[in-house]
Amino acid sequence: MWQSDGVTASPAPLNDALDELADRFGENPPADDVYDVFHAWVESTGKDLYPHQDEALMAALDGDHLIVSTPTGSGKSMIAMAALFVALSEGRSGYYTAPLKALVSEKFFDLIGLFGAANVGMVTGDSTINADAPIICCTAEILANVALREGKGADAGVVISDEFHFFSEPDRGWAWQVPLLELTNTQHILLSATLGDTSHFVEDLEKRTDRQVSIIDNAERPVPLSYNYSLETVSETIKELVSTHRSPVYIVHFSQLAAVSAATELQSVALSTKEQKTEIAEEIGDFRFGPGFGAVLSKLLRAGIGVHHAGMLPRYRRLVERLAQHGLLRVICGTDTLGVGINVPIRTVLLTSLAKFDGEKQRQLTAREFHQIAGRAGRAGFDTTGEVVVQAPEHEIENAKAEAKAAERKKKFQKKKPPEGQVNWTRSTFERLISAAPETLESRMQITHAMMLQILARAGDPVKTVYRLLTDNYEPRRASNPLLRRAIDIYVSLRAAGVIVHHDRDWREANPDKPAIELAREVPDDFALNAPLSPFALAALELLDMESPTYALDAVSIVESVQEDPRPILVAQRRHERDVAMASMKAEGLEYNERMARLDEITWPRPLADLLDPALETYRQTNPWVSDFELSPKSVVRDMIEHSMTFSELISKNDAARSEGVVLRYLTDTYKALRQIIPEDALTDDLQDIIDWLGELVRSVDSSLIAEWEALADGMIDDAEIMAHTKIPQGGTERAFGAREDGTVPITANLHAFRTIVRNWMWRFVEAAADEDIDKLECLSLPATVAPAEKIDGDTWDKFLDDYYADHEWLGTDTGSRSASFLRFNESPGVADFVDAGLSEEAAQEAGAKKMWIVHQVIDDGEESRDTEFVAIVDLDESTAADRLIASLVRIGDVV
């Protein structure tokens, strides 16, 4: 009954229940029977519905909206299942939305197990599977775009908005608000443990949709919480919690560095018995840990200590979760991301602080943040109580110990004060947060080019729709409406670009049934999804010369420029560039203030920025919606190729062990983008080799991110794939681009890396010339296999420098002087080219019969004259045989 054509569904109990209802009653089963059948399914799992879940089921059957604000662990997922079951039994479709792709994907597989593969689809921006299914799992932004484009006519019978407190997120909150405003024929189910006052949602939804709202907020925690304020050190607190059987303990930190550091310090505390360590080792089995952080994590886990944060590789996080689910970890050190759908069952939550840095400033936790974290304590079915412990600030702990010691000696003591400039907290802060209700959710409504285009693409009067959307929403009323002003600016830019047409009065009088403003050209359905600048990247490929030896790398750079920034790598690259520049400026004798001023202008490498930035400005004139997004040229994949780096070497070079997961996600997204953006006619063999290598590299590190994407893209969502999804992928052998089977890289196998070696060798001449180091220049100039027509010795260099500085004041060695624009490779030279390079006619004939390159390094004289160069000949055959660079400098002087 509920299977789509051509898709075989897995055994699914709720799907079977729907079939049963359809067989008995057809398309409109009585509500009482739907109620009974759902109850029977719950009982078949060995459970009963909690009273609040039963209340929610009955309200869903009555067609009410549901606002579910119940504690963590009280079964909000069951309410979501009930609402979807009711909708499908009545022939309506359903959406499940969440803030994170990982949660969407997890729920997708869960729902397949309940409703069958044919009845569940997923859209996350980079994964689309079974998009016509009656249940769609998607991120909130995806549903918001559907709501904008289709309005109340969208096929969305019920919408489950999980983690609805994201309504208050500054950058993303609009996506939780738009469906409430636009999907007025939809039944909305809002779920969160920390909603706060919802009276404004009740009033607005009932007025807007003419449908009643039921509040489900009367649930008791299945596992009640107790609260304690600790005046002991973390290690002492942990010893007590573990010894009194109140583990596993999740220690909450507000940075990844602090979490790893705390876990490492706890290794000195005996937390697990010998037998427990043996059990952990058996469960880990042959799991392969990578170098760096992997080696650290292996030691920690074997001691019963876990680490869990967003920067870890997915396979490491899943291993920690598996060990925790089996009750093998006494302590897990992690970050406050614990509050959003993390699958780590814990007994006790220990907060190391009640203050955090929120990206702008240090501040105390909000009540919502505190309850999101604290609510994770206590395991239903295992614990009779969950415990929340907060560490006092360090100065309070020291004061408590000093006071106790002074009391014993009957002496006075001097209390330490909180550190100046640091946000503090006290026991009263803790007690206030315990009793405080979550803050009222704040509206974060926006209007962007993308949102405006979605509205213009749907039927009806777009002016009325935009006006209603921007005036009748959850924003506080103001004397003037900044959203309307922004909408007018967007309208002007769209009209100037010819994207929309505004018909004149005569046309409107002749066509009264049509809107005055219409799209002048069709906008793709997915233009506003995960990679809004991908169409620009595709267009920018036409700026490249496919015959250029750097074409493949330049294509990679274009795709990298439209990906999200992997900040840990870029920050490390910027630090390196600044260190190099600082050394160079010190050598030049620049004053401190001037050095600091120049350093502010130095960032990470931005290949093709001079080409892409003006190209984007041109593209923006006809595609103004890209104004909402920024281009970000960078070199991560390119840097790996040019320097023959593996993933582990990239992490080590940039000291990014704590952010392996972030970096791997970037490499995965870049691999996907290369496959999706590069068309067949722009795909060279070299570029295909790069794409294949990058995919293999990501799989060797952690296959889960790509494997799931590819399985979904191929429609493989049967039982076997679901089982594979639950396994923890193993790491494989990492290989640099062009590497042999044993991991070694022949010097000429990776021509991109070989060019970098040549570039660095040529640059040594520039630096030595700038330092006027004649001895070094003479040593570097020793011929290898090709002799120049004129010998280049110390006297030759001495004369060259005299002549050069007679005409120029400066010989550049900064970052700009080293740019690719000053270096040219001729990889297919003819005999005439060798003669121009400085060889005799006879030597040129011999060189022309071999595999050689000619390389020109132009000198930056600060005047853009580019009239001086160093020319070298590279022998590829000899370099391959020797597995090192074999090259000869053959001419210095004027550019020929």
Side-chain angles (χ1 to χ4, degrees), residues 764-772 777 797 800-801 805 811 870:
R764 292 167 65 190
F765 286 102
V766 178
E767 290 180 321
D771 293 339
E772 300 186 51
L777 287 167
W797 278 112
F800 164 80
L801 291 172
Y805 283 113
L811 196 160
F870 303 156

Side-chain angles (χ1 to χ4, degrees), residues 287-290 315 699-703 728-734:
F287 184 92
R288 295 179 62 178
F289 293 90
R315 65 189 183 96
R699 290 185 187 91
S700 72
V701 177
D702 188 332
S703 64
I728 300 175
Q730 295 292 300
T733 302
E734 298 177 26

Side-chain angles (χ1 to χ4, degrees), residues 79-109:
I79 293 175
M81 296 308 101
L84 288 169
F85 182 81
V86 168
L88 265 65
S89 72
E90 297 172 353
R92 294 182 289 131
S93 63
Y95 276 85
Y96 168 88
T97 73
L100 305 176
K101 291 180 183 179
L103 294 182
V104 171
S105 177
E106 181 180 314
K107 187 60 66 175
F108 170 70
F109 283 99

Side-chain angles (χ1 to χ4, degrees), residues 541 543-552 680-684 687:
L541 290 172
L543 301 174
L544 303 181
D545 176 8
M546 292 185 67
E547 300 302 319
S548 167
T550 63
Y551 169 77
E680 192 70 31
D681 59 0
L683 197 60
T684 62
L687 184 52

Side-chain angles (χ1 to χ4, degrees), residues 711-828:
L712 295 175
D714 293 338
M716 295 186 292
I717 52 175
D718 58 16
D719 284 344
E721 289 298 328
I722 295 172
M723 290 302 294
H725 171 73
T726 65
K727 296 178 182 178
I728 300 175
Q730 295 292 300
T733 302
E734 298 177 26
R735 290 197 184 92
F737 184 74
R740 300 183 180 99
E741 287 294 321
D742 62 1
T744 60
V745 183
I747 193 167
T748 57
N750 178 351
L751 292 181
H752 309 290
F754 185 60
R755 292 187 190 100
T756 300
I757 293 171
V758 174
R759 182 183 299 116
N760 291 338
W761 177 71
M762 293 292 287
W763 188 247
R764 292 167 65 190
F765 286 102
V766 178
E767 290 180 321
D771 293 339
E772 300 186 51
D773 188 338
I774 301 299
D775 291 340
K776 185 175 182 179
L777 287 167
E778 187 171 23
C779 181
L780 288 171
S781 306
L782 290 175
T785 59
V786 179
E790 296 183 13
K791 183 179 179 182
I792 302 176
D793 55 16
D795 291 338
T796 308
W797 278 112
D798 205 24
K799 182 177 185 305
F800 164 80
L801 291 172
D802 287 343
D803 292 344
Y804 179 84
Y805 283 113
D807 296 331
H808 307 287
E809 296 182 358
W810 188 66
L811 196 160
T813 58
D814 61 14
T815 302
S817 304
R818 194 173 181 173
S819 73
S821 65
F822 289 100
L823 189 71
R824 181 168 60 86
F825 286 84
N826 182 348
E827 298 183 6
S828 300

